[in-house]
Amino acid sequence: MIGLLDRLVRPLTRALEPERAHRLAINGLKMVPLRHPPADDPRLAVPAFGLTFPNPLGLAAGFDKHGEVADAILRLGFGFAEVGTVTPRAQAGNPRPRLFRLEDDEAVINRLGFNSEGSEAVLARLSARRGRGGIVGVNVGANRESPDRVADYVALIESFAPVASYFTVNISSPNTPGLRDLQQGKALDDLIARTLAARDRAAPGGVKPPVLVKIAPDLSLADLDDIVGVARARRIDGMVVANTTVTRPPALRERARAAEQGGLSGRPLFRLATRMVAETFVRVEGQFPLIGVGGIDSGAAAFAKIKAGASLLQLYTGLVFRGLRLVSDIKADLANFIRLGRYDSLTQAVGIDAAAITAEPWPE
Ligand SMILES: Cc1cc2nc3c(=O)[nH]c(=O)nc-3n(C[C@H](O)[C@H](O)[C@H](O)COP(=O)(O)O)c2cc1C
């Protein structure tokens, strides 16, 4: 069924304007009845922040912004889904066009700007799927015009706590002006303190959903020192590394498209994002796990990200260019790497290359 869905949707989607193609993919996933995938190889299971992920591969935020297809995503074989970014109040985002494919680079530039149906609509959908199981995280963000952005994160965590397996606090989208300033020391400390307190209030005595912070790949290493320092001191549950980049690697072929404003994702992001995983890993010193995201489009790339320090993985842009088969291909390759490396589980490979990667020249 996945092969059929792919064959039907992919040629069409590549010909369409990217945002229409995305809507078509979401509607396809809503309509096509997918069966449960075969159980994952137990060696692919990852215990992290009190949850057990059946496999390490998740769908990154931004694909299912409004919580429409979380169950379908799990049925595609992903080990977890991340819904959002959700903002408290519905907002339209930036004017179109705001999503661009760089075909020759296998990359995407987006400046969507948190188009969100708002918390009420998304909460209703996630409440309706309650009890179905599967790990579904909620990625939260602030409204563009919000007078108090931290209050937005707090409100979202309070309302989604009953339905979120975990939260990702997104302070790294390049498309909401000023949002990334929340990554700075004092502001970040206040944000993390208040979001963790909101989570504790919202789950009194019950299971507390873990709270992760998602960072940009464009931070300086001095900023990363501060962020990890705050995250460790406040005992955050984990970090997602990384969001899209505002840089443009010189090797990009589609120079005209590359000049579009927004965040770049996909293959050209891989080296920078993986370097940031390694830099974060060596600073975290095992205090909490990382989700590695950015440019994963093969089993080898997935395994490299794990060896750089990621306990879990996410991808988005790889699916656009490689199709839904990528999910089962990566899982099969990871099982092979485990066998070849004679590991008992993937966890043993996490971070084994981190120190070596941080000694390499900075990726362009
Ligand atoms: C079209 C698009 C929309 C995105 N929207 C979000 C978002 O709403 N929230 C977020 O945290 N990340 C968002 N991202 C970033 C992805 O979650 C991911 O961090 C990034 O794309 C790098 O992974 P990739 O190279 O596998 O795509 C978006 C990415 C794309 C391509």
Side-chain angles (χ1 to χ4, degrees), residues 28-181:
L29 286 174
K30 272 188 187 169
M31 272 153 36
V32 176
L34 292 166
R35 270 184 306 214
H36 281 287
D40 287 313
D41 184 327
R43 290 171 307 175
L44 291 180
V46 179
F49 7 88
L51 301 167
T52 301
F53 294 74
N55 73 69
L57 193 59
L59 184 56
F63 179 79
D64 187 15
K65 281 185 187 263
H66 317 305
E68 298 169 272
V69 290
D71 290 299
I73 290 166
L74 297 173
R75 288 189 180 186
L76 292 173
F78 281 105
F80 62 112
E82 188 168 309
V83 162
T85 296
V86 186
T87 57
R89 292 160 298 285
Q91 63 178 25
N94 288 322
R96 298 185 191 199
R98 53 191 183 175
L99 184 57
F100 307 89
R101 275 192 302 258
L102 283 66
E103 297 277 346
D104 292 347
D105 299 301
E106 300 202 11
V108 162
I109 290 175
N110 94 80
R111 52 168 180 267
L112 294 168
F114 286 172
N115 53 313
S116 174
E117 291 184 3
S119 67
E120 204 178 314
V122 181
L123 183 59
R125 289 189 190 112
L126 295 187
S127 300
R129 72 162 298 281
R130 237 178 133 176
R132 280 192 211 151
I135 297 178
V136 178
V138 178
N139 179 306
V140 292
N143 277 111
R144 186 186 167 104
E145 305 300 343
S146 172
D148 182 352
R149 286 185 167 163
V150 177
D152 281 9
Y153 291 97
V154 165
L156 288 161
I157 287 180
E158 284 175 341
S159 14
F160 280 91
V163 298
S165 305
Y166 71 88
F167 285 106
T168 298
V169 174
N170 179 11
I171 46 174
S172 47
S173 166
N175 302 311
T176 295
L179 190 85
R180 287 174 299 162
D181 296 344

Side-chain angles (χ1 to χ4, degrees), residues 22 58-63 99 293 296 314-321:
H22 176 250
L59 184 56
F63 179 79
L99 184 57
V293 48
I296 297 173
Q314 289 178 329
L315 59 80
Y316 180 170
T317 307
L319 278 190
V320 175
F321 296 98

Side-chain angles (χ1 to χ4, degrees), residues 9-28:
V9 171
R10 276 189 70 212
L12 267 175
T13 52
R14 297 289 282 278
L16 288 176
E17 185 276 318
E19 213 164 325
R20 289 186 59 195
H22 176 250
R23 189 31 50 197
L24 184 74
I26 297 274
N27 289 343

Side-chain angles (χ1 to χ4, degrees), residues 153-233:
Y153 291 97
V154 165
L156 288 161
I157 287 180
E158 284 175 341
S159 14
F160 280 91
V163 298
S165 305
Y166 71 88
F167 285 106
T168 298
V169 174
N170 179 11
I171 46 174
S172 47
S173 166
N175 302 311
T176 295
L179 190 85
R180 287 174 299 162
D181 296 344
L182 287 170
Q183 296 176 122
Q184 303 297 325
K186 178 75 189 76
L188 181 69
D189 191 52
D190 181 49
L191 173 71
I192 294 183
R194 287 173 62 189
T195 49
L196 289 178
R199 182 273 311 269
D200 292 349
R201 269 199 311 279
V207 183
K208 292 180 181 174
V211 173
L212 286 65
V213 169
K214 184 167 180 179
I215 61 170
D218 305 326
L219 295 164
S220 70
L221 293 181
D223 284 344
L224 187 62
D225 286 341
D226 291 350
I227 291 172
V228 172
V230 169
R232 287 179 63 161

Side-chain angles (χ1 to χ4, degrees), residues 201-265:
R201 269 199 311 279
V207 183
K208 292 180 181 174
V211 173
L212 286 65
V213 169
K214 184 167 180 179
I215 61 170
D218 305 326
L219 295 164
S220 70
L221 293 181
D223 284 344
L224 187 62
D225 286 341
D226 291 350
I227 291 172
V228 172
V230 169
R232 287 179 63 161
R234 289 281 176 197
R235 298 184 164 276
I236 198 90
D237 296 290
M239 280 169 65
V240 185
V241 187
N243 216 312
T244 55
T245 178
V246 295
T247 64
R248 297 292 181 263
L252 286 178
R253 293 188 204 152
E254 299 223 18
R255 299 311 309 173
R257 282 268 159 87
E260 290 290 350
Q261 267 199 13
L264 175 78
S265 59

